[in-house]
Amino acid sequence: MRLLWLSALACNGNAHALLNYPRFEEWQEDFEWLYHPLLPSTHTLAEVEEGIDGVEILLVDGTLEEGLVKNRLAYKQLFERYAVEAKYIVTVGTCATFGGIFAQGGEGRSGLHFSGERRHGFFDGFWEKTLSLPGCPVQPEVLAGTLSLLRSEEPLPLDTLHRPKYFYAHTVHDGCTRNEYFEYKIDEHRFGALEGCMFYEHGCQGTFTHGSCNKILWNGVHSKTRAGTPCMGCTEPDFPREGLWHTSKRMGIPARLPLGVPRRAYLSLAGIAKAFHIERLERPMMEDKRG
Amino acid sequence: MAEVRLELIEKIEGEAQVRYVYEKEQVDFAEILFLTGRGIEKILEGRDPWDALTITPRVCGICGHAHLIATVRALEECYADLKLSRKARTVRELTLAFELLQNHFKWFYLTILPLLDLEAPMRRVLEPSRILGEMIALLAGQYPHNSYAIPGGITGEITPVDLLGVRQRHRHLQKLFRRGVIDVDLELFVHCDRIEEMLKRAGDLPQAMQRILDRGWERLGRSHDRFIVFGQNDLFAAGKSIGTRLQKHLDLRYLRESAIEGSRARRVLYRGKSYETGPLARAMLLKTPLIREAHRRYGDSLFSRILARVCEIPRLLRYTEALIARIDLSEPAWIDPGPFPENAEGTGIVEAARGSLIHRLRVKEGKIASYRIVTPTQWNLGNGSRENPGIAQSALIGLHREDPAELVFKSFDVCSVCTTK
Ligand code: SF4
Ligand code: SF4
């Protein structure tokens, strides 16, 4: 299947992340890069500007900006030419999907269909064939996997933002090694430790962020939250919020609660969980022989 | 009659344009233009200082980790009395060095070899890149774009199991280097000072360097022969050198940035002069034998520049091995630095893959009042005037039409996204 990768305002992180895909070479056998910003490709960017044939999947990367010119042509013109004939359009990463970090750096910037949560409608004609793969960067397994499933015409259930459910139905919280501290409401957390959960003090957004980070581990080995870094919510429309390392509170409890959990339910649950005083979770994990 | 040609340079972490002015068959003048900008510095203004740890890695998808380390150093300078364990310091040095290694592999295989019409199997670049990503992730959670370095240390705790994973991969990496890039004993190679010795070995590096010699390109791409290095650690030495004359002392107050007409990049000068930064500069400051020899023969040419970059790999491999051995896991990973000061200033300096990277921030009433980033590409690619051209400009000026201008340009390893931060 023939792929065309067109970057707008990007950091190239999505392109580099893809190279870490563990089965990259085998995966690539099923595809041809008409253009990719790093990898050997069939065409040069100048040729893409002049016009090439045969685009099947158009990959949009980076934040769009009104009037953005790549070389000679406006990005918009380039995009529209290939979007018409492409069978699918995939927004790669949070910038292309929702606007992301760079949308905050200037006027007239957005994702392909969204400005944060709002559908702006400029390219509505292409909405039906668009898939959203947010993430900053998107996990290589998510991008490579989606492209392969599209190729084999596998049905791909999507959520309302057109994110494939296989990869975005879970929250980042699922599979985090700090889950027990969350469940039993042990709200103390210090950086530099294996113990504790960053939800209460340090801004972890894992419980309300859609993504596979703790299910499909990063680089096959680890994740931010396992390594003690709060999830920054990088797959969500409002990334990056302000005050990413602090949990904002309402009447002493975190202002944002786990996806779908009403405040009252959370409060009763927290009350009960706290009452248990799970001693095991209050001791240093590696020093406690009782396990 | 002068002829003007605008050329698109692609696959340099984005794109740039070069506007060549040819006089007869020679480049009479060249200007390097970056068309887009993203405004990261502006995005940071008004934010909580810690937010920078999340935002600045996104300056660049290939050297984002260097930006993180520069940020954490700048933030730490804001505290009056910050404590950092040796362990945290060492682990950060380690992940930074892994990124340098990864960048060097990628540049050599994806950028340089194709321009020499040489082909190597894709796995020669994919394997080391992936393994180095895993090594960073084992310590930092993920790669690219983690934020594990924070004021006072690192976010998580590291166990002997994680280190075991790092050690094993390190061993694998050494094998891949010898099998692919050049088959040498690392220890001996670091002290080697004979170009012929290097060329005799098996591997993609000797092949590439031989190709440059065969085509008679070894003296192309010479510039002002002025080098600068700001970062200082156990591997690199700070200072500047004009030709081989070294001067250790640098003062950031002499650094000036200014706008470039028609481009979104800013140039940067030290005491009014442009300097080359990056692996060749680092090797000149360190007096690395093989690179000094290349420089003696061919000057600050593309030959010396490419060799210097790839020859950092064995140095980095030995350096990281020593760092791993030095980690004392009983030390704390993080020491609470207390609340962030309301008003403060800080500078963070890092040797990134392409050269010196400098972050400076000012905090007022608990928020970022200003954030400035000076990237390696700004040093190397900033335009000057006809009388006083910049580093890459002067390397391009004088080239003949049939000379490999793109190779000269890319020997600096341009990072477009960093420049257009
Ligand atoms: S640290 Fe974040 S992802 Fe992990 S358990 Fe706590 S809330 Fe969930
Ligand atoms: S853990 Fe959160 S911030 Fe990190 S990559 Fe996953 S979704 Fe993004």
Side-chain angles (χ1 to χ4, degrees):
Chain A
M1 203 154 194
R2 288 180 299 270
L3 311 171
L4 176 64
W5 183 302
L6 284 184
S7 305
L9 297 176
C11 73
N12 239 9
N14 292 308
H16 281 285
L18 180 62
L19 298 192
N20 295 332
Y21 186 54
R23 299 279 163 269
F24 186 84
E25 278 190 282
E26 292 74 17
W27 173 80
Q28 224 192 201
E29 283 166 14
D30 290 338
F31 297 96
E32 174 189 345
W33 290 111
L34 294 173
Y35 187 75
H36 182 279
L38 296 170
L39 295 165
S41 319
T42 314
H43 296 283
T44 64
L45 191 59
E47 286 165 3
V48 173
E49 284 199 326
E50 276 157 32
I52 57 166
D53 290 325
V55 176
E56 287 172 287
I57 302 183
L58 175 59
L59 304 167
V60 176
D61 173 34
T63 308
L64 271 60
E65 182 185 50
E66 249 176 70
L68 176 70
V69 174
K70 256 190 105 58
N71 178 38
R72 283 173 228 269
L73 285 189
Y75 186 89
K76 185 169 172 274
Q77 213 178 328
L78 207 55
F79 163 77
E80 276 174 343
R81 169 193 295 167
Y82 294 112
V84 173
E85 67 171 280
K87 201 161 163 206
Y88 304 104
I89 297 166
V90 175
T91 57
V92 181
T94 300
C95 290
T97 307
F98 302 120
I101 292 185
F102 308 138
Q104 299 181 358
E107 296 297 306
R109 295 185 182 181
S110 68
L112 183 63
H113 295 291
F114 296 93
S115 241
E117 249 147 280
R118 186 179 60 86
R119 275 274 298 278
H120 55 57
F122 293 142
F123 300 108
D124 261 358
F126 303 117
W127 171 244
E128 279 315 314
K129 56 169 151 173
T130 302
L131 283 92
S132 306
L133 301 184
C136 188
V138 60
Q139 286 189 283
E141 291 80 358
V142 173
L143 175 54
T146 301
L147 293 176
S148 289
L149 293 176
L150 287 177
R151 180 179 171 273
S152 54
E153 294 181 13
E154 210 82 41
L156 209 54
L158 305 178
D159 67 13
T160 51
L161 304 178
H162 280 195
R163 297 180 290 200
K165 301 277 298 184
Y166 295 138
F167 300 111
Y168 294 91
H170 294 83
T171 64
V172 168
H173 172 73
D174 289 336
C176 176
T177 51
R178 296 166 188 273
N179 263 321
E180 283 185 294
Y181 298 88
F182 178 85
E183 274 168 54
Y184 296 106
K185 304 293 154 235
I186 315 285
D187 44 23
E188 213 208 313
H189 168 260
R190 269 180 68 85
F191 287 115
L194 295 171
E195 301 84 1
C197 158
M198 288 81 77
F199 174 72
Y200 308 99
E201 295 296 332
H202 292 130
C204 186
Q205 302 188 29
T207 59
F208 45 88
T209 296
H210 298 82
S212 296
C213 300
N214 277 305
K215 179 170 164 276
I216 304 170
L217 292 181
W218 274 94
N219 308 84
V221 295
H222 219 3
S223 74
K224 268 203 197 74
T225 64
R226 290 184 179 199
T229 312
C231 167
M232 307 287 170
C234 80
T235 57
E236 295 294 332
D238 57 357
F239 176 74
R241 293 185 204 166
E242 301 222 0
L244 288 157
W245 293 77
H246 306 286
T247 304
S248 45
K249 307 247 176 88
R250 248 173 63 196
M251 298 191 329
I253 70 160
R256 296 247 351 221
L257 294 175
L259 211 58
V261 177
R263 210 161 176 79
R264 280 203 22 219
Y266 180 86
L267 279 173
S268 352
L269 206 80
I272 298 167
K274 277 199 163 204
F276 283 121
H277 284 295
I278 314 290
E279 220 200 304
R280 174 178 155 265
L281 297 176
E282 283 161 13
R283 291 192 298 254
M285 195 184 268
M286 292 300 157
E287 281 159 34
D288 187 11
K289 292 212 189 321
R290 285 162 295 183
Chain B
M1 258 308 280
E3 176 201 336
V4 177
R5 234 175 52 207
L6 195 63
E7 271 184 37
L8 172 70
I9 312 270
E10 55 183 76
K11 306 206 184 198
I12 47 167
E13 309 307 323
E15 296 88 29
Q17 288 180 342
V18 184
R19 193 174 162 274
Y20 290 103
V21 182
Y22 283 94
E23 193 70 63
K24 302 213 181 79
E25 290 303 292
Q26 261 184 315
V27 178
D28 185 49
F29 193 56
E31 279 174 297
I32 299 145
L33 308 170
F34 294 93
L35 298 190
T36 61
R38 292 168 302 159
I40 290 242
E41 292 163 329
K42 204 176 110 204
I43 293 167
L44 287 165
E45 282 170 23
R47 280 185 169 261
D48 184 289
W50 276 54
D51 280 6
L53 299 164
T54 307
I55 309 256
T56 68
R58 273 78 177 195
V59 169
C60 181
I62 188 163
C63 69
H65 204 65
H67 285 279
L68 171 70
I69 302 297
T71 296
V72 79
R73 287 182 183 163
L75 293 181
E76 286 180 340
E77 252 198 35
C78 294
Y79 290 89
D81 179 29
L82 181 127
K83 290 190 186 58
L84 197 58
S85 70
R86 203 166 91 119
K87 172 168 100 177
R89 207 186 291 272
T90 310
V91 171
R92 286 188 199 171
E93 274 290 316
L94 196 56
T95 51
L96 178 62
F98 289 158
E99 183 178 80
L100 262 68
L101 276 164
Q102 197 209 46
N103 280 216
H104 292 354
F105 275 103
K106 280 186 176 170
W107 174 76
F108 180 62
Y109 281 102
L110 291 174
T111 305
I112 295 302
L113 285 193
L115 290 172
L116 296 171
D117 303 313
L118 290 171
E119 251 181 67
M122 266 306 267
R123 59 170 202 297
R124 294 251 169 97
V125 60
L126 291 173
E127 250 187 298
S129 300
R130 192 180 61 243
I131 289 171
L132 282 155
E134 290 166 9
M135 290 161 89
I136 300 176
L138 278 166
L139 302 168
Q142 70 177 70
Y143 189 81
H145 295 348
N146 65 68
S147 303
Y148 92 120
I150 54 171
I154 56 177
T155 56
E157 180 57 295
I158 287 160
T159 70
V161 183
D162 302 321
L163 273 192
L164 179 67
V166 173
R167 270 202 205 94
Q168 288 168 340
R169 285 172 176 81
H170 197 279
R171 212 173 280 170
H172 189 173
L173 199 62
Q174 296 188 29
K175 281 196 197 135
L176 290 178
F177 175 75
R178 294 190 54 167
R179 219 182 285 153
V181 182
I182 181 166
D183 190 13
V184 286
D185 178 282
L186 296 189
E187 175 70 34
L188 291 180
F189 188 59
V190 168
H191 298 110
C192 165
D193 65 353
R194 298 201 40 236
I195 308 273
E196 283 68 30
E197 194 55 41
M198 178 270 301
L199 291 171
K200 268 202 321 239
R201 300 296 173 141
D204 298 322
L205 174 67
Q207 248 199 24
M209 301 321 289
Q210 188 61 54
R211 176 64 55 96
I212 293 173
L213 291 168
D214 292 347
R215 296 200 172 167
W217 292 346
E218 65 276 11
R219 286 190 173 77
L220 297 181
R222 272 169 301 161
S223 182
H224 295 301
D225 214 16
R226 291 194 294 258
F227 308 100
I228 207 159
V229 177
F230 283 92
Q232 169 90 42
N233 59 16
D234 290 346
L235 185 66
F236 300 130
K240 67 192 178 85
S241 117
I242 300 186
T244 50
R245 258 184 309 120
L246 302 191
Q247 190 196 321
K248 289 252 147 80
H249 183 73
L250 292 179
D251 189 334
L252 282 181
R253 278 174 306 185
Y254 292 127
L255 189 150
R256 287 270 176 285
E257 270 192 294
S258 56
I260 297 172
E261 206 189 317
S263 173
R264 299 288 295 267
R266 296 194 301 259
R267 84 168 63 82
V268 57
L269 303 174
Y270 186 80
R271 292 191 98 155
K273 285 203 167 73
S274 52
Y275 283 86
E276 172 166 355
T277 185
L280 178 56
R282 294 196 282 247
M284 292 303 287
L285 267 294
L286 286 172
K287 305 188 185 164
T288 306
L290 192 65
I291 307 310
R292 275 295 187 103
E293 176 59 14
H295 180 267
R296 195 184 60 77
R297 290 194 198 177
Y298 311 124
D300 56 340
S301 68
L302 64 85
F303 185 96
S304 305
R305 212 169 276 129
I306 293 171
L307 191 63
R309 178 96 188 246
V310 182
C311 287
E312 255 185 24
I313 298 178
R315 294 187 72 94
L316 284 160
L317 285 171
R318 287 176 68 243
Y319 175 59
T320 46
E321 196 171 23
L323 286 176
I324 298 168
R326 190 199 286 177
I327 296 173
D328 176 357
L329 286 178
S330 68
E331 293 176 20
W334 183 70
I335 301 168
D336 192 346
F340 201 88
E342 282 290 297
N343 298 294
E345 277 179 25
T347 300
I349 302 175
V350 163
E351 278 307 307
R354 291 159 191 75
S356 303
L357 169 67
I358 302 168
H359 283 209
R360 288 184 284 190
L361 93 160
R362 206 154 43 78
V363 176
K364 239 172 107 182
E365 289 161 15
K367 301 280 182 215
I368 297 175
S370 78
Y371 203 109
R372 300 294 270 186
I373 302 173
V374 175
T375 68
T377 301
Q378 279 178 263
W379 288 100
N380 291 341
L381 270 89
N383 291 335
S385 58
R386 270 179 185 268
E387 298 69 44
N388 195 7
I391 295 293
Q393 259 182 325
S394 117
L396 292 168
I397 292 172
L399 289 181
H400 272 267
R401 236 180 243 280
E402 62 276 17
D403 285 338
E406 192 178 349
L407 183 65
V408 170
F409 186 86
K410 288 187 175 175
S411 72
F412 290 98
D413 193 8
V414 185
C415 184
S416 168
V417 293
C418 274
T419 314
T420 56
K421 63 211 177 228

